[in-house]
Amino acid sequence: MNQLTICLVICVLTVISYAWGKLKMGTTALLSMVAFVVTGCIEPKAAVANFSNTNAVMMLSMFVVAAGFNRTQFVKKCASSVNHIARGSLTMVMLGYVLITIILCQFIQSSMVVFGIMAPTLAASCEELNIKPSKVMFPLVIVCIATISVLPLGSGATVFAELNGYLQANEYTVYTVGLMDSMKARLPMLIAVAVYVIFFAVRFAPDEPQAALGELREKKVTKSVLPPFQEKAGYLIFILVTLGLIFQKALGLDIWVISLTGAVLMVVTGVLSEQEAVEAVPWWMGFLFIGSLTMGGALTATGAGEAVGGVLAGAIGMLGNKYLIGLVFFIVPFLLTQVMMNRSVMTIFIPIAILACKSMEANPVGIIILVQCACLSSFMTPMATPAVPMCMAAGGYDLKSLIRQSLLPAVLLCAVNVGWIMTVFPM
C-alpha cells in the first residue's frame, strides 16, 4: 500500500476507535499519532511539534482561567442576573447567551476563545436552574463555530480581501468579492443557527453527561468563599484576559501568551492553588487535540486532500445544475474539515473552485464563499476544531452523543447555505 492509502486506513481505524469507546479518546489519539509516525505518513519532528502548538497551550490555559473564575462569586452573580432577567426560562437564557456569543464572534476570530469566555457563566446559569451542562454546551459551541466573522466587523471586515487574494493568485480577477458579500451570503445561516440553538438544539442534547466533565464548569463540591483580595483578583483577571483576547491584534500579543498569563496569575494571586490549577486541566483533551493535529498533518503531507480535490474537480464538469455544483462544493470540504485543519482545506478547495469556475467562465464569488462557509462549520468530530474537545469536556459528551447532536444542524447548514448562496450569487 502507498502512504496515502495507509494514512486513510489509520484515519478510519482512529474514528472507529473513538466511536467504539473501549479506549480513552486521549489514548486513541496518541496511538494514531504513533501509527502515523511509524508508517512515515508524517515526519517525527512535525508530530512532536504539535505538543507545543499554540492553540493547545491556549486551550488548556483557558481551563485554568475559567476554573479560577468559577471560584469567585462573580460568575454566580452574573448567572443569577441572567436567570432573573430570563425568569427561569431556558429558552430566554439561551437567547441571551447566543446574542452575546454572536457579538463576540465578530471580534474574536477563534471559536475556542469565545467558547472559553462564554461557557463558565452559561454552566453556572444552568446549575442554578438545575440543568445539566450536557443540555447547553454543544448548542453553544455551534454558535461559536458557525457565526465567526459573518458581519463586516473586526475580523469579518478582512474576509473579502482574503478571498480576492485567492482570485488574484489564480489569475481570475474578472470578478471580485465586495466588502458586504460575505455578510450577504452568510447572514441567513447566522439567523438559522441562532433560531435552531435557542429553540430546538437543547431538545436533542442528552439530559445527563455521557462522559467525564471537565473544569469549565464548577465541581459540585463545597468550597470556601475566597477572601476579598482573591475574589476581586479572580474576576478581574478573567475580565482582563477576555479584553486582551478581544484586542489581541492591537496589543500585539499572541492569544496563547494572554491565556497562559491569565492562568499563571490565577495561581500567583491565590485564586487557585497549584493543585487546583493542575486538576482544572483535562489532559485527555489536550492529547486528543494533539492527535487531531497529527491526523490533519498526515492527511496534508500524504496528499489525501489534493487527491479528493482532484476527483471533485473532474466531476464538476458533469454537473449541469448550479445547486448540485454548490452542494458538492459544500459537502466535500465540510466533511474533510472534520478531520483536517480548516485552513488547510480552504487552501486546497478555494483554488479548485476558482479554476473550475474559470474553465466554465462562471462567477466564482458564491462558490468560494460557500467553500469558506463549509470550512468554518466543522463541529461533528473532536478533530474538527479545538472548540469541540473543549465542548466535550465541558458538557460531558462522548463521540456518539456528539455526532447524534451534529446531524440535524449539519443538514440545516447545508440546506441554508447552498440554497441561499447559489441563488443570490448565481454562477
Side-chain angles (χ1 to χ4, degrees), residues 192-227:
V193 166
V195 170
Y196 175 77
V197 168
I198 293 167
F199 296 103
F200 302 103
V202 294
R203 301 181 187 181
F204 300 101
D207 294 326
E208 297 289 337
Q210 307 296 299
L213 288 167
E215 284 289 339
L216 273 177
R217 64 180 296 276
E218 186 178 15
K219 282 186 176 179
K220 285 197 171 182
V221 296
T222 303
K223 293 183 179 179
S224 59
V225 176
L226 290 173

Side-chain angles (χ1 to χ4, degrees), residues 82-164:
V82 171
N83 291 351
H84 177 71
I85 295 171
R87 297 181 181 179
S89 167
L90 181 57
T91 299
M92 294 303 295
V93 168
M94 293 305 295
L95 172 62
Y97 282 104
V98 165
L99 292 178
I100 296 170
T101 300
I102 289 174
I103 293 171
L104 285 178
C105 282
Q106 309 316 307
F107 296 95
I108 302 175
Q109 201 173 14
S110 170
S111 55
M112 176 172 55
V113 171
V114 177
F115 183 83
I117 292 170
M118 297 300 299
T121 312
L122 177 57
S125 287
C126 289
E127 188 163 4
E128 186 174 291
L129 295 174
N130 199 28
I131 296 170
K132 299 294 185 181
S134 56
K135 296 295 290 184
V136 297
M137 289 302 165
F138 185 73
L140 176 66
V141 88
I142 293 176
V143 181
C144 294
I145 292 170
T147 65
I148 288 286
S149 302
V150 172
L151 305 178
L153 306 169
S155 60
T158 65
V159 170
F160 82 103
E162 179 183 355
L163 294 179
N164 283 329

Side-chain angles (χ1 to χ4, degrees), residues 31-46:
L31 284 174
S32 71
M33 178 180 181
V34 171
F36 285 126
V37 172
V38 170
T39 56
C41 293
I42 191 170
E43 291 292 328
K45 288 184 178 180

Side-chain angles (χ1 to χ4, degrees), residues 118-325:
M118 297 300 299
T121 312
L122 177 57
S125 287
C126 289
E127 188 163 4
E128 186 174 291
L129 295 174
N130 199 28
I131 296 170
K132 299 294 185 181
S134 56
K135 296 295 290 184
V136 297
M137 289 302 165
F138 185 73
L140 176 66
V141 88
I142 293 176
V143 181
C144 294
I145 292 170
T147 65
I148 288 286
S149 302
V150 172
L151 305 178
L153 306 169
S155 60
T158 65
V159 170
F160 82 103
E162 179 183 355
L163 294 179
N164 283 329
Y166 279 106
L167 290 170
Q168 291 173 1
N170 290 276
E171 299 180 351
Y172 196 42
T173 55
V174 177
Y175 300 94
T176 57
V177 181
L179 173 63
M180 305 297 288
D181 283 350
S182 182
M183 184 191 75
K184 181 181 176 182
R186 297 180 64 199
L187 189 58
M189 177 274 300
L190 182 150
I191 296 171
V193 166
V195 170
Y196 175 77
V197 168
I198 293 167
F199 296 103
F200 302 103
V202 294
R203 301 181 187 181
F204 300 101
D207 294 326
E208 297 289 337
Q210 307 296 299
L213 288 167
E215 284 289 339
L216 273 177
R217 64 180 296 276
E218 186 178 15
K219 282 186 176 179
K220 285 197 171 182
V221 296
T222 303
K223 293 183 179 179
S224 59
V225 176
L226 290 173
F229 173 78
Q230 281 75 19
E231 173 74 18
K232 293 178 181 178
Y235 58 75
L236 181 60
I237 292 169
F238 185 83
I239 291 171
L240 290 176
V241 168
T242 300
L243 292 174
L245 293 171
I246 293 174
F247 299 107
Q248 167 253 330
K249 290 184 179 179
L251 294 173
L253 296 173
D254 290 336
I255 56 175
W256 72 270
V257 174
I258 297 169
S259 303
L260 184 58
T261 301
V264 172
L265 286 176
M266 286 292 185
V267 177
V268 170
T269 58
V271 179
L272 293 174
S273 67
E274 290 184 8
Q275 182 178 351
E276 287 174 326
V278 171
E279 290 175 351
V281 179
W283 296 104
W284 68 268
M285 191 198 68
F287 295 143
L288 176 62
F289 177 60
I290 291 165
S292 71
L293 289 175
T294 305
M295 179 183 289
L299 286 167
T300 302
T302 56
E306 286 85 349
V308 173
V311 173
L312 174 62
I316 289 299
M318 296 183 289
L319 300 174
N321 184 286
K322 64 180 181 180
Y323 293 103
L324 289 178
I325 294 174

